[in-house]
Amino acid sequence: MAHNLKTEVSRYSLVGIFNTLATLLVIYGLKAGVGTGDYWANAAGYGVGLIMSFYLNRAYTFGHDGAVSGAAARFLVAFAICYAINLAVVAVLIDGFGVNGYLAQPFGMGSFTVSFYILLRMHVFRRGVPPEMPPP
């Protein structure tokens, strides 16, 4: 579907904005509507966001028609790697350079966003992956 780099980056950005809003809606809805604590609401919000991100990026951003199970496994590994990069950037800025935590967070988020796009494009939803075989 989206084979043009500009189109992919635009779509990835749009999915990210939509995903962030939906994640916050779940978090705030659970906190305000149900009285869920911060940590459980956050976990539920991010769980919904992770699932949405997979399906929207797979279909809309990258037009991937390869095996869902393989892509999902690669997606989770890529997420874990990029989240670790995010934490490392934040930790180095705060602990290594004394940067204020509020200022360090956007750099961590930026590193996550860029590295996640690269891994999604180059590994998770790479082209040339054969479609899933139907069951016999």
Side-chain angles (χ1 to χ4, degrees):
M1 179 189 287
H3 299 289
N4 175 306
L5 183 60
K6 273 183 158 176
T7 301
E8 276 185 1
V9 170
S10 295
R11 288 180 179 202
Y12 179 73
S13 300
L14 187 60
V15 166
I17 291 167
F18 180 72
N19 191 58
T20 299
L21 293 174
T23 299
L24 284 172
L25 183 65
V26 170
I27 292 169
Y28 293 162
L30 287 173
K31 283 177 57 58
V34 185
T36 306
D38 286 310
Y39 298 115
W40 286 109
N42 185 278
Y46 271 82
V48 168
L50 202 58
I51 292 166
M52 283 179 52
S53 178
F54 173 76
Y55 283 106
L56 290 174
N57 278 307
R58 180 177 184 268
Y60 180 67
T61 304
F62 298 101
H64 182 262
D65 61 357
V68 174
S69 59
R74 292 189 302 271
F75 182 88
L76 291 175
V77 170
F79 173 80
I81 290 168
C82 296
Y83 188 68
I85 290 169
N86 167 29
L87 290 178
V89 167
V90 170
V92 166
L93 289 174
I94 293 171
D95 297 332
F97 293 101
V99 173
N100 178 286
Y102 287 102
L103 296 176
Q105 291 294 338
F107 288 97
M109 292 171 72
S111 68
F112 174 90
T113 301
V114 171
S115 60
F116 200 45
Y117 173 78
I118 291 167
L119 285 179
L120 291 182
R121 186 169 202 273
M122 304 294 282
H123 182 64
V124 175
F125 300 122
R126 65 187 181 270
R127 289 177 181 49
V129 177
E132 245 177 317
M133 296 296 295

